[in-house]
Amino acid sequence: MPVTPADLIRPEIRALAAYHVPSADGMIKLDAMENPHPWPGELRDAWLERLRDVRLNRYPDPGAQALKTRLRETLSLPEGLDVLLGNGSDELIQLLALALIGSTGERRCVLAPEPTFVMYRMTALFAGLDYVGVPLRVDFGLDEEALTAAIERHRPALIYLAYPNNPTGNLFDRDAMLRLIAAAPGLVVVDEAYSAFADASLLDALPDHDNLLVLRTVSKIGLAGLRLGYLVGVPHWLREFDKLRLPYNINTLTQLSVAFALEHRELLDAQAARLKQARAELLAALDVVPGVTVHPSAANFVLFRVPAGRADAVFEALRARGILIKRFGSSGGELLRDCLRVTVGSTEENRLFLEALREALD
Ligand SMILES: *Cc1c(COP(=O)(O)O)cnc(C)c1O
């Protein structure tokens, strides 16, 4: 008998559906929190000029030193804190799960308030860790009492707090987060994928909390194609994680291109400011669409609720008009019932989205 996947692949992996990225050919893409704005022509030329001398026959700098130095400067990182780079923050989330696998027989657990970013759960499962999701309150705030009880009960090796949270868009209460960090028996990763749009961060809390790590990415500020995420924290933790990092995980083009982009930080900042303005306009416009309830957002996307039972029909109506947003289906659970998520796009994309939405709900 030839060997089959059933012989070799764990049942929980065989039971998984592959992470589904819907085809977006020719569509207005408002499903994945990408920045819609391209770079101006002269900046593109300067970037291409920088790439001209790249030696593709050589391996990348394994430590990505120039990029790390640039990042440290950009973040104004104090001495005593360091960064670990990943091929997207997804890779770092996976690396954390790998690093925290217990010794033989020892069950370890990852905990997060839910709904939240699905990769926390997925990577825990990949690594054979337990995962505990603790429901948010109906207003998407942290249920501190339930979280504290779950922390006591499960003693998680790792807690994820997305700040602002995806897909709900809100910022959790900072003091509640600090209390959870103090109560945690293990590590707490505050995932700041949307910090450029939030005016809030826990980076400043790092020096006072040895079990705190802050995760960021350049994906949502306009560099999703480059795949670069970074974890900020104290070196004695990052050193251990670094041992599990594959050599050369950050390719040469990414190292050079992100460093170049950070040298032109004012453009990234201006684009983020423009998207925040567009978000305010989109929130205001959604707020007066009959049948729509809109949730506050500190990110570059907006979560909104449509009349009961109509989320699928609205999603399909938009797709038929060439506009792709995000629906949750049963994966969203009770709290996301009737909810849809839309990325803040360009002025024109947002206009077309609103027009299609009004029509779909008419
Ligand atoms: C988009 C997102 C990420 C993934 O970022 P990459 O760097 O593109 O892998 C991580 N965390 C949250 C909360 C996100 O929404």
Side-chain angles (χ1 to χ4, degrees), residues 197 272-288 294-302 344-345 350 354:
F197 313 103
R274 194 168 158 195
L275 287 167
K276 282 159 78 176
Q277 176 62 33
R279 173 182 70 201
E281 288 161 16
L282 181 62
L283 284 168
L286 274 171
D287 202 35
V288 295
V294 54
H295 294 280
S297 170
N300 66 337
F301 61 85
V302 173
V344 179
N350 298 340
L354 283 163

Side-chain angles (χ1 to χ4, degrees), residues 32-33 87-91 93 116-117 119-120 162-166 191-194 215-220 224 227-230 301 341:
M33 282 74 89
N87 194 313
S89 42
D90 284 350
E91 189 190 42
I93 294 168
T116 192
F117 190 50
M119 281 299 145
Y120 310 148
Y163 187 68
N165 188 38
N166 175 12
D191 183 347
E192 299 190 346
Y194 301 95
L215 182 63
R216 290 207 175 167
T217 174
V218 300
S219 293
K220 313 294 160 51
R227 309 303 298 131
L228 185 86
Y230 51 98
F301 61 85
R341 187 191 69 197

Side-chain angles (χ1 to χ4, degrees), residues 144-161:
E144 237 187 305
E145 207 175 312
L147 281 163
T148 310
I151 289 170
E152 267 312 301
R153 172 144 182 249
H154 299 284
R155 312 293 296 165
L158 174 60
I159 298 173
Y160 278 106
L161 298 170

Side-chain angles (χ1 to χ4, degrees), residues 22-154:
S23 158
D25 262 0
M27 309 225 359
I28 295 178
K29 208 169 166 312
L30 298 176
D31 64 327
M33 282 74 89
E34 291 144 324
N35 175 340
H37 302 300
W39 288 356
E42 54 300 359
L43 199 64
R44 286 173 73 96
D45 290 344
W47 166 61
L48 290 170
E49 194 54 43
R50 183 77 62 90
L51 295 183
R52 187 186 294 280
D53 297 326
V54 166
R55 293 186 299 167
L56 292 177
N57 55 320
R58 300 295 178 194
Y59 280 106
D61 172 1
Q65 284 313 327
L67 173 56
K68 271 193 177 173
T69 304
R70 180 62 67 183
L71 268 174
R72 293 192 63 105
E73 272 170 30
T74 308
L75 296 167
S76 310
L77 267 201
E79 289 299 313
L81 291 177
D82 209 349
V83 289
L84 177 70
L85 306 186
N87 194 313
S89 42
D90 284 350
E91 189 190 42
L92 293 166
I93 294 168
Q94 182 177 55
L95 194 149
L96 285 163
L98 271 181
L100 295 172
I101 296 171
S103 306
T104 316
E106 186 192 356
R107 297 301 305 176
R108 292 279 186 80
C109 138
V110 174
L111 183 146
E114 290 214 306
T116 192
F117 190 50
V118 293
M119 281 299 145
Y120 310 148
R121 175 195 286 275
M122 301 282 280
T123 54
L125 190 146
F126 298 164
L129 301 170
D130 293 331
Y131 177 88
V132 176
V134 179
L136 291 168
R137 299 188 316 230
V138 287
D139 66 356
F140 301 139
L142 293 174
D143 185 339
E144 237 187 305
E145 207 175 312
L147 281 163
T148 310
I151 289 170
E152 267 312 301
R153 172 144 182 249
H154 299 284

Side-chain angles (χ1 to χ4, degrees), residues 308-319:
R310 296 195 51 192
D312 271 331
V314 169
F315 173 85
E316 293 297 354
L318 290 172
R319 186 158 68 173

Side-chain angles (χ1 to χ4, degrees), residues 8 32 35 88 175 213 262 275 308 318 344 352:
L8 295 181
N35 175 340
D175 291 330
L213 298 156
L262 293 177
L275 287 167
L318 290 172
V344 179
L352 290 168

Side-chain angles (χ1 to χ4, degrees), residues 141-276:
L142 293 174
D143 185 339
E144 237 187 305
E145 207 175 312
L147 281 163
T148 310
I151 289 170
E152 267 312 301
R153 172 144 182 249
H154 299 284
R155 312 293 296 165
L158 174 60
I159 298 173
Y160 278 106
L161 298 170
Y163 187 68
N165 188 38
N166 175 12
T168 57
N170 57 310
L171 286 166
F172 298 138
D173 180 73
R174 181 184 162 103
D175 291 330
M177 291 173 74
L178 290 172
R179 283 191 291 273
L180 291 174
I181 292 163
L187 295 172
V188 179
V189 170
V190 173
D191 183 347
E192 299 190 346
Y194 301 95
S195 62
F197 313 103
D199 305 316
S201 170
L202 256 68
L203 269 185
D204 65 326
L206 280 171
D208 295 328
H209 300 86
D210 263 15
N211 64 334
L212 172 62
L213 298 156
V214 172
L215 182 63
R216 290 207 175 167
T217 174
V218 300
S219 293
K220 313 294 160 51
I221 58 171
L223 304 171
L226 290 176
R227 309 303 298 131
L228 185 86
Y230 51 98
L231 189 65
V232 190
V234 287
H236 67 255
W237 281 113
L238 299 189
R239 265 200 300 275
E240 298 302 324
F241 303 142
D242 194 42
K243 296 173 189 172
L244 295 172
R245 185 178 61 85
L246 296 176
Y248 316 119
N249 65 328
I250 313 299
N251 74 70
T252 307
L253 298 179
T254 296
Q255 291 188 28
L256 274 173
S257 302
V258 176
F260 174 86
L262 293 177
E263 283 167 36
H264 298 87
R265 191 66 208 284
E266 65 291 343
L267 175 80
L268 302 180
D269 291 345
Q271 290 188 338
R274 194 168 158 195
L275 287 167
K276 282 159 78 176

